[in-house]
Amino acid sequence: MIPILMTWDGEAMTPLPRFAKLADTQYVIGEAYRMTPVEERSEVSHNHEFAWLKSAWQNLPHPLDEEFPSPEHFRKRLLIDTGFYDEQIVDAGTNAAAIRVAAAFRQRDEFISTVIRGPIVVIRTAQSQSRRNMDKERFQASKTAIMEAAAALIGVTPEQLSSQGAGAGTTRPAVAA
């Protein structure tokens, strides 16, 4: 089910006009549904992640700086490395076929991680941190995990790295490693 924004009028929950047709397809008149409020994550928290992430990426030591051509590559790899990934396993039949399968997946998506184990290819794709795919708690857990991993890579504490994102959207000096 797709989340639907509703308003409380004092007597009933009513879908916002743009969600009315979707509500008609998802819900049955007369049925009871459990509702629970979903706390939206803030734009400030979202922007904070991208600010300190860029700072960490700019301070990657050599040769790691060559492994991640952009902050987005870095973020997605950190998500995978910290367990925030979706996994697909392909039995290619032989090691040679597995190598070709892994290469094909990497060509299709430059952000994935592939591991070849004999004839088996393990493909990991970073989970999306979009508001639609991660609620506030899961986003915060992923943000904390990748911040700790990024800080360790550049030799600072998570608190030092976090301070780089404190003024998200402002120009700040890079972290001194």
Side-chain angles (χ1 to χ4, degrees):
M1 284 201 169
I2 298 172
I4 295 176
L5 288 178
M6 299 195 181
T7 57
W8 175 248
D9 65 13
E11 294 183 26
M13 295 298 284
T14 306
L16 295 181
R18 69 176 191 250
F19 291 99
K21 285 185 180 181
L22 181 59
D24 285 340
T25 63
Q26 287 188 178
Y27 302 117
V28 176
I29 294 173
E31 290 288 322
Y33 296 93
R34 290 191 193 279
M35 295 183 64
T36 183
V38 175
E39 233 181 283
E40 299 287 336
R41 69 177 189 244
S42 73
E43 191 69 27
V44 172
S45 179
H46 182 82
N47 291 342
H48 176 248
E49 175 179 314
F50 289 94
W52 61 254
L53 195 68
K54 182 177 180 185
S55 179
W57 174 75
Q58 290 171 331
N59 285 281
L60 284 170
H62 187 73
L64 286 177
D65 59 345
E66 294 177 355
E67 191 175 332
F68 305 106
S70 72
E72 186 68 0
H73 285 85
F74 187 48
R75 180 181 71 87
K76 289 193 175 193
R77 179 60 177 274
L78 290 172
L79 284 165
I80 292 169
D81 289 351
T82 57
F84 293 90
Y85 60 82
D86 296 314
E87 186 174 82
Q88 182 179 1
I89 299 174
V90 177
D91 184 347
T94 66
N95 183 257
I99 292 168
R100 289 190 300 274
V101 167
F105 271 96
R106 283 192 300 270
Q107 259 188 335
R108 193 175 70 179
D109 183 349
E110 65 184 313
F111 298 113
I112 66 169
S113 170
T114 58
V115 177
I116 300 168
R117 296 184 183 136
I120 306 296
V121 183
V122 179
I123 301 125
R124 292 183 177 156
T125 308
Q127 291 178 344
S128 170
Q129 290 182 297
S130 72
R131 285 175 179 80
R132 183 178 194 159
N133 292 307
M134 277 192 183
D135 63 16
K136 182 180 179 179
E137 290 76 26
R138 183 128 176 102
F139 175 76
Q140 188 58 50
S142 70
K143 180 180 169 182
T144 299
I146 68 173
M147 180 184 291
E148 290 171 355
L153 286 173
I154 64 170
V156 298
T157 67
E159 293 75 23
Q160 289 170 313
L161 185 54
S162 179
S163 72
Q164 290 303 299
T170 63
T171 304
R172 300 182 62 89
V175 175

